[in-house]
Amino acid sequence: AAETSANSLSKLKAERAASKRAQVESTRDELRNDPLGLGQSPNSGNFGLTIAGATTWGLALWFASGSRSNPVVTPVANALYDEDEEDWLADRNAGYFSELPLS
């Protein structure tokens, strides 16, 4: 049988469908075995696309932005600075928002 453009198009569609099915099955297996993506290393190419990657980036941005409700800032500041000498730390300990000193 001579190959026509219709046959060729049908073959191409079948190949694409088979490839897509294989990709979907691979993703299903991955989600069944590691639904949160916690088994991936941070160096893998897919790390940024998982929940673990999203969480890592979110926490990094949250800490880097100096969130006003950041629970880490005040205890660390209390360990490093004296509340009697630092007005901003006294304000933080009183529950007010105070800008962190940049110098």
Side-chain angles (χ1 to χ4, degrees), residues 33-83:
N33 297 332
D34 189 16
L36 298 179
L38 299 175
Q40 293 185 358
S41 79
N43 299 328
S44 76
N46 290 333
F47 184 71
L49 304 176
T50 64
I51 292 175
T55 302
T56 301
W57 276 107
L59 286 172
L61 291 173
W62 184 65
F63 282 118
S65 69
S67 172
R68 290 181 179 210
S69 61
N70 190 328
V72 176
V73 171
T74 304
V76 170
N78 281 320
L80 298 176
Y81 298 99
D82 183 16
E83 181 180 357

Side-chain angles (χ1 to χ4, degrees), residues 82-92 98:
D82 183 16
E83 181 180 357
D84 297 330
E85 295 178 13
E86 304 290 340
D87 292 333
W88 66 270
L89 183 54
D91 290 344
R92 281 233 175 210
S98 180

